[in-house]
Amino acid sequence: MKKVVFDEKERLFHLKNDQMSYVVGVLMNKHLGHFYFGESLNEPLKQSYFRTDQNKGLTANVFEGNSSFSLNNERLEYPCYGTTDFRQSAFDILGENGSTLSDFKYKTHRILSEKTPLTGMPCSHGDAVVLEIELYDDVMDLELTLLYAVFNHAIVRRTRLKNDGDASVYIDKLMSGSIDLPDNHWEMMQFSGDWARERAIYTSPLRPGIQSIYSNRGASSANHNPSLILKRKETTEFHGEAIGVSLIYSGNFLAQVEVDSNDISRLMMGISPDYFKWKLCPGKCFDSPEVVMTYTSTGLEQLSKNFHRFIRKHIIQDKWQNRVRPILLNNWEATYFDFDEDKIVALAKEGAKLGVELFVLDDGWFGNRDSDQTGLGDWFVNTQKLPNGIKGLSEKIHDLGMQFGLWIEPEMVNNQTKLMKEHPDFLMGDPSRKISHGRNQYVLDFSRDDVVQHIFDQLTLVLDGSHVDYIKWDMNKNITEAYSRQLPDDQQGEVFHRYILGVYKLYDMLTTRYPNILIESCASGGGRFDLGMMYYAPQAWTSDNTDAIERLKIQHGTSMIYPLVTMGSHVSAIPNHQVARMTSLKTRGDVAYFGTFGYELDVTQMSSAEKNEMTEQIKYFKNMRRLIHTGDFYRLLSPFETNETAWQVVDEEKEEAFVAWFKVLAKPNEAIKYLKIRGLDEHDLYYVTGYDEPISGSVLMNHGIMIRPSFNGVEKTKAPIGDFQSRVWYLKKANNSQ
Ligand code: DGJ
């Protein structure tokens, strides 16, 4: 049950759902105090329960004659600079007179039963109770509104600034949300890495001062995912408190925790204030992106479940929410740039025979793109490679009974292209300076409407006449030399944000014109794996690293925030192209099942035994995918902690479950292990793969499935042996099975 209660006498707002409460109060100077975010509370609530009114030494105080009210000692909801709080502010606004001082006081509020969408930006949607608290600064005539939406599994926040005055002001910082937690006994969990090793889990205790993650690359980045978890030291998957935040945004971000000398932990998140300055003219509004905040008292498993359910229902568009995703075959690792129509059709034919549902033509079909040196920006078909165009090829693929998908990288341009010759001014960068490249390519200035429109027009020429069901939208260079030739000097600080708004605009134009095309976002793999992208593209390529063993960590880390249905996961060839590792087809398949599932290898080179195995994998996944794409995910063993990994999915009704266990390195003479299953009905019996008789849910959950070690020597056995083993089990409630 979701609600927002306002207690006028106490000047308290209580935002609440079944799992969490969030309490905000109006302080005596009419600024807002943050009083509580945690386990769901029962009313009545009073300010006196939360406020300290401490008379501390060496503070600056707000009111003359009152030495106990200092903002520095308060827990604040949206802290400002300069009026007795010396910690980091949530916003900085530069006024006409050069001052960054402000005094935003509570003016009014509204409680609404419906949430309105943000224009031009991704946002949460669906059933929510909304609270808007309006604050006003009389000197600058600015209206600052804090907007909250209470959903079943999360609370979403954002900020809006409106200029009611006669003079322009500059926004230097406007965080989406900020909360002051009453203690510092937290550990910060972040999801960091780099290309091909995205979202590894790093956990460190909070210490006094600032700890933060950020991106100033123009994309949310593979380096730090725009999400953060605070957990107690004793919190595990199955017990304990945790708070999670994730930004619905794909550009530069900052997530920061500041621990002050009163042991208060200030957590804030929003657009990175570095290289950001937004000119807000009279009468104009600026909207921050939304930040999703969730809380649990029962472990990381529940925290992830909150995120997963929230994302599936309130970020992914309704249309894609309950659709299982097609099993795909992508030609990238099979051919790279070296293909023609015959080769592609030959691959697709083999794929169709195995049961693949979607063939994806990756990079190299356009312009004179035979390598990564050139071609980007020329979105017309290379008829030497594809004499029948995308239209002809897409029809041939459809004739094989498969859907057809196409790779694009619309934000980029190479040298020696028609686009670069005709529109050199479309480039991002200061024309009086050198512009850096990455992968031989340059970034187009998507902060400009004409650039976005030009790319859209080119893409429609290809897409309109063809039978395209899926797009893979790639992005392989971060923004350097952020400068737009069309913006005036005093608005160059807007480039990064305007760029990502341009990307969203193109997404919007394409999804409006082609509502049935499924988009998978990609940024050299997982370089833009964020909720902003997922609003438009319901799945994302998790990583360019397709090695099954590497993927254990990548997918495990990703699952802390994102549901399986958003994670692109493919079986690729051995030796693996990123790490040269040899793993069995079974292990590669078992890992890839935990995502949208597909293949990325040359099927024409597979042996008939391998093809038979792939046919079986595809059949198996088709039976299992509704469960995998819509069920709740459980992490049973972590690859970050042990030699083993175990994952599980259970449907909401606890009717069926899918369990997998992976072992990285073989060990000699091992003991029997027991894998305790989660989330079953303890009073019911379940049929389990490999067991003749059904087993009680309570036994499976409390004793576990027995994992007999294989003898890793020379034994001839059907059980997997050696390094990189995997096993899977399907569980079905006995009373429903035939
Ligand atoms: C990077 C992507 O992550 C790969 O999957 C592939 O699409 C290449 N780009 C193509 O250039």
Side-chain angles (χ1 to χ4, degrees), residues 160-341:
R160 182 198 297 141
L161 188 70
K162 181 162 174 271
N163 188 350
D164 282 342
D166 302 326
S168 294
V169 297
Y170 292 89
I171 306 171
D172 286 329
K173 167 156 78 167
L174 194 78
M175 289 287 110
S176 298
S178 175
I179 52 173
D180 283 352
L181 301 166
D183 69 79
N184 62 358
H185 306 303
W186 297 98
E187 292 182 338
M188 176 166 135
M189 223 183 190
Q190 64 190 74
F191 311 100
S192 300
D194 205 328
W195 173 76
R197 50 181 174 83
E198 298 89 345
R199 291 172 296 287
I201 299 175
Y202 293 86
T203 308
S204 42
L206 292 187
R207 54 175 170 73
I210 292 171
Q211 36 255 286
S212 67
I213 51 165
Y214 68 94
S215 169
N216 287 333
R217 293 168 169 262
S220 50
S221 91
N223 307 71
H224 301 295
N225 192 259
S227 309
L228 203 72
I229 291 176
L230 292 183
K231 64 182 261 307
R232 298 296 186 187
K233 190 171 174 219
E234 61 279 8
T235 297
T236 64
E237 279 288 329
F238 316 125
H239 308 280
E241 279 194 302
I243 288 172
V245 289
S246 189
L247 200 62
I248 310 181
Y249 191 61
S250 315
N252 290 349
F253 76 93
L254 171 71
Q256 171 177 301
V257 186
E258 178 180 10
V259 175
D260 72 10
S261 53
N262 293 324
D263 294 344
I264 291 173
S265 303
R266 173 167 291 175
L267 167 63
M268 60 172 72
M269 195 167 201
I271 293 178
S272 168
D274 294 344
Y275 319 108
F276 174 83
K277 188 183 269 297
W278 190 275
K279 182 177 183 181
L280 194 67
C281 297
K284 295 285 180 197
C285 268
F286 181 86
D287 286 295
S288 82
E290 291 185 334
V291 59
V292 180
M293 310 173 68
T294 187
Y295 167 86
T296 185
S297 57
T298 57
L300 295 169
E301 172 184 285
Q302 182 62 43
L303 195 81
S304 297
K305 203 187 279 185
N306 287 353
F307 271 122
H308 294 181
R309 288 189 175 183
F310 175 81
I311 293 168
R312 289 204 310 259
K313 217 167 160 25
H314 303 296
I315 297 290
I316 292 175
Q317 297 302 325
D318 296 358
K319 182 182 183 82
W320 301 109
Q321 272 175 19
N322 291 314
R323 286 209 199 170
V324 291
R325 305 298 164 71
I327 298 172
L328 66 81
L329 173 64
N330 178 304
N331 72 305
W332 178 241
E333 290 198 8
T335 66
Y336 295 105
F337 295 104
D338 180 19
F339 62 81
D340 58 17
E341 187 182 283

Side-chain angles (χ1 to χ4, degrees), residues 195 330 332-333 336-337 362-364 369 372 376 407-409 439 441 472 474-476 522-526 541 543-546 570 600:
W195 173 76
N330 178 304
W332 178 241
E333 290 198 8
Y336 295 105
F337 295 104
D362 211 280
D363 195 355
R369 180 101 169 147
D372 63 14
L376 291 173
W407 180 97
I408 56 172
E409 191 177 358
R439 207 194 186 205
Q441 65 195 51
K472 178 178 174 186
D474 208 345
M475 194 284 290
N476 290 296
C522 171
S524 312
W541 184 221
S543 176
D544 273 356
N545 192 340
T546 56
H570 303 167
E600 186 150 345

Side-chain angles (χ1 to χ4, degrees), residues 40 83 92 192 202 215 232 265 277 280 326 388 397 400 417 449 480 520 522 524 527 541 585 592 596 598:
S40 196
T83 52
D92 287 323
S192 300
Y202 293 86
S215 169
R232 298 296 186 187
S265 303
K277 188 183 269 297
L280 194 67
N388 298 301
I397 303 293
L400 295 170
T417 51
D449 284 350
T480 51
E520 176 155 345
C522 171
S524 312
W541 184 221
L585 186 52
T596 53

Side-chain angles (χ1 to χ4, degrees), residues 512-634:
T512 306
R513 185 158 176 137
Y514 310 105
N516 293 323
I517 293 186
L518 169 67
I519 306 186
E520 176 155 345
S521 75
C522 171
S524 312
R528 219 160 48 180
F529 206 107
D530 58 65
L531 299 183
M533 283 291 126
M534 273 162 213
Y535 177 80
Y536 303 99
Q539 57 191 62
W541 184 221
T542 313
S543 176
D544 273 356
N545 192 340
T546 56
D547 173 65
I549 301 308
E550 291 287 306
R551 276 295 187 115
L552 292 175
K553 282 189 176 162
I554 295 170
Q555 293 177 204
H556 195 94
T558 305
S559 81
M560 297 303 300
I561 309 290
Y562 304 98
L564 298 187
V565 71
T566 63
M567 289 188 215
S569 52
H570 303 167
V571 173
S572 62
I574 49 167
N576 171 267
H577 291 199
Q578 291 76 42
V579 294
R581 185 175 280 128
M582 302 291 286
T583 50
S584 69
L585 186 52
K586 172 174 166 47
T587 296
R588 281 175 277 155
D590 289 349
V591 174
Y593 286 153
F594 287 83
T596 53
F597 196 66
Y599 293 88
E600 186 150 345
L601 38 67
D602 188 348
V603 257
T604 62
Q605 300 299 309
M606 311 291 284
S607 68
S608 50
E610 284 172 319
K611 282 191 221 165
N612 288 342
E613 196 175 340
M614 285 165 72
T615 309
E616 289 309 312
Q617 281 181 336
I618 289 170
K619 252 194 234 155
Y620 190 74
F621 188 73
K622 282 181 183 166
N623 286 331
M624 215 63 76
R625 71 176 149 187
R626 181 156 294 282
L627 168 64
I628 291 173
H629 290 170
T630 62
D632 286 322
F633 181 64
Y634 294 80

